[in-house]
Amino acid sequence: MVNLLWLQGSCCSGDTMSFLNSEEPDIITAFRMLNINLLWHPSLSLEMGEDVINIFERLIQGKENLDVLVIEGSIPLGPNNTGHYFMFHNRPFK
């Protein structure tokens, strides 16, 4: 099983929308064919809050493997390259 984590930086979710519009095959079929396990997606996953933090903690601690990382959109670096324009769990997303 291939573990995939999808994060969204500064974006309009256009990549997600295009991805969801796939037809041949549809995304569910494609994930099954490619043996992909979607660990988390900000728009598609049911997990939120502490459940998402727990997913990230398992990855950081090596309790779960991350095989594919998708980052949709840009990664804001400002102000002054600190990344503080876009914070995630009290840390810069960058």
Side-chain angles (χ1 to χ4, degrees):
M1 179 81 42
V2 175
N3 285 333
L4 183 145
L5 176 64
W6 187 305
L7 301 177
Q8 290 178 327
S10 180
C11 67
C12 64
S13 301
D15 294 337
T16 294
M17 295 309 296
S18 293
F19 185 66
L20 290 172
N21 285 326
S22 64
E23 294 180 1
E24 295 295 329
D26 61 82
I27 62 164
I28 301 299
T29 302
F31 275 27
R32 285 183 184 146
M33 289 171 54
L34 297 170
N35 203 27
I36 293 176
N37 175 41
L38 180 61
L39 294 174
W40 187 71
H41 183 290
S43 300
L44 304 176
S45 297
L46 297 175
E47 297 86 3
M48 58 184 175
E50 285 300 315
D51 292 334
V52 177
I53 300 305
N54 290 337
I55 292 169
F56 290 164
E57 288 297 324
R58 284 195 315 271
L59 293 170
I60 291 167
Q61 294 169 3
K63 295 179 180 177
E64 192 158 15
N65 290 329
L66 176 61
D67 302 302
V68 178
L69 173 63
V70 175
I71 299 179
E72 179 177 355
S74 63
I75 300 173
L77 300 178
N80 300 319
N81 205 33
T82 63
H84 288 150
Y85 281 145
F86 184 14
M87 303 292 288
F88 180 80
H89 198 56
N90 296 319
R91 296 175 66 181
F93 182 76
K94 75 175 197 162

